[in-house]
Amino acid sequence: MDEPQLCTKDFVIDSIANFLIYVVYYILMVIIAIYAMDKLQASPSEAGFAAGIFILAALFARIFTGRSIEQVGRKRMLYIGLTIYLLSTFLYFKITNLPFLFFIRFLHGAGFGIAATATGTIVANIIPKERRGEGVGYYAMSTTLASAIGPFLGIYLNNHVSFDMIMGLCAILLAVSYIAVFFLKVIAPELTEEQLNNMKQFTLNNFIEFKALPIAIIGALLGFCFSSILSFLAPYTREINLIDAGSTFFVAYSVVILISRPVTGRLFDQKGENIVMYPSFILFAVGLIILSQVHHGFVLLLAATFLGLGWGTFLSSGQAIAINVSPQYRMGLATSTFFSLTDGGVGIGPFFLGFLVPIIGFRGLYVIMAIGTITIMCLYYFLHGCKVKRGNQLITEEVEALHSTEVQEK
């Protein structure tokens, strides 16, 4: 039997829109602290807050978007997010002081959070259920490409052109995304009157998809470990005199993810999620151990390979799991639950891990994170892995029954 088509027009458009949304995010993330210190005389902590408040706003936006997206409409919600994202980009041209910068960053982060959650929810409905692991893996490549291209563009442009020109480019990229979405066809799920009434209630169940909570908790914990790489790789490579190799770390990391995701996604669909999830934890732990023992540039890039395989596989597979275990009409909530907790772990990690560095050093930190990753793998088994049928796609009998009930109601 022929496989259902994956690379459709709508899939490509949604992936391109997501790519441009994330490119703008990464361009500004790598230069905003420098801008705040150089142009607004901000202290390092104030400059860090200018970067962090964006993530904080995105987290809140994801939570509320997941709750409201089915009521508002998926495409309409995407346009709301892109509108806020684009309009707040123009406000950067009017910055005169730090408080105004903080306000813009919060607004910008909210627009990003809404738009990114909407694209993730839309693509979940575009991808055929039989190829969801593979499809989410391909879709996630748009974010991976952005994580490689965005920082490079940001640093390069910051050294060669003015901040206003960079913001002009960001506005153009978001405008292209805005126009592309016009051609995107979004099929919204049909909700019963009871489902609509339940979603309008101001209850915890309408902010969190509890079926996706187990894998989201795993994402938060692994994100906490991953934050040790994002936050401390630069000072670590400076300490061990591998700055040049450190600058290519995320390039190697991104290339590995791009190559591996089609393979891991297909394995997810054909053999079940455990066949890729357990190796992802092990590879990530091995990468952290290698990172803790680095003395040469080649070994650092080897660590990037293992870490890219581990984290990249987990991120796309975790999103697919969150979607699969949740009712179709709560896909948006499942997506926001998974990414809100995962991003939250990445966000709070540096604050707490910063207290460990003076005590155990960077090498000791990465060893501790490797041990933590193996512990998280054991927790994954109890929260989710042991419930998965061997060789089947991750759709539990309970969820299948729920979907069947929804179809009958329609």
Side-chain angles (χ1 to χ4, degrees), residues 144 148 245-259 297-298 300-309:
T144 304
S247 64
T248 59
F249 178 94
F250 283 104
V251 174
Y253 161 91
S254 300
V255 168
V256 169
I257 294 177
L258 290 173
I259 294 173
F298 169 76
L300 182 65
L301 297 182
L302 181 64
T305 300
F306 278 91
L307 292 167
L309 284 170

Side-chain angles (χ1 to χ4, degrees), residues 5 23 57-58 74 76 83 98 100 106 119 136 174 189 211 227 254 262 266 269 319 327:
Q5 189 176 2
V23 164
R74 296 178 179 183
R76 188 177 301 167
T83 299
L98 274 175
F100 189 50
F106 187 88
T119 54
V136 171
L174 291 178
K211 292 183 183 297
S227 71
S254 300
R266 186 169 287 271
D269 292 325
Q319 181 185 359

Side-chain angles (χ1 to χ4, degrees), residues 130-147:
E130 299 86 347
R131 303 183 67 183
R132 187 161 285 159
E134 184 183 5
V136 171
Y138 278 119
Y139 168 76
M141 288 169 65
S142 63
T143 304
T144 304
L145 277 173
S147 70

